[in-house]
Amino acid sequence: MAYSNGPVDPGLEELVCEIQGLMWDEVGIVRDGARLKRAIEHLEKLAPRVARPKTRRSYEASNIHTAGLLIARSALAREESRGAHYRTDFPAHDDKKFLKHSVVKGGSIWFA
């Protein structure tokens, strides 16, 4: 089934801006657990608005939403600071636990 670019949906553009603003404000380079949890909750509430995309832009919005959730959930799981990921509530490296890659499958995140 082919999907068209379709008409521009102003509500969709507002949603994309909301997700981008949320990611900048709550999941930026300097992070903490409370803000990450708020961002995840907010993104989860937005999920119905990106369900069942029909146009190219709605697929893009869905992908932006998915990427935001993956980033926020992974950042919450990584309880350390490393590189461009800085947690004010976990400022030190923890090589023993986290000198690994984040692996996401379904709702689970682990380090391998």
Side-chain angles (χ1 to χ4, degrees), residues 53-71:
K54 292 183 174 45
T55 65
R56 179 182 180 140
R57 186 60 174 155
S58 62
Y59 272 99
E60 290 170 351
S62 178
N63 291 340
I64 290 167
H65 178 263
T66 299
L69 265 175
L70 289 169
I71 292 166

Side-chain angles (χ1 to χ4, degrees), residues 53-99:
K54 292 183 174 45
T55 65
R56 179 182 180 140
R57 186 60 174 155
S58 62
Y59 272 99
E60 290 170 351
S62 178
N63 291 340
I64 290 167
H65 178 263
T66 299
L69 265 175
L70 289 169
I71 292 166
R73 288 177 177 159
S74 295
L76 182 63
R78 185 169 288 275
E79 296 177 333
E80 68 156 0
S81 292
R82 184 173 299 273
H85 167 76
Y86 183 78
R87 291 274 304 259
T88 57
D89 48 351
F90 294 96
H93 285 353
D94 183 349
D95 288 345
K96 185 175 179 181
K97 186 174 180 184
F98 293 111
L99 190 57

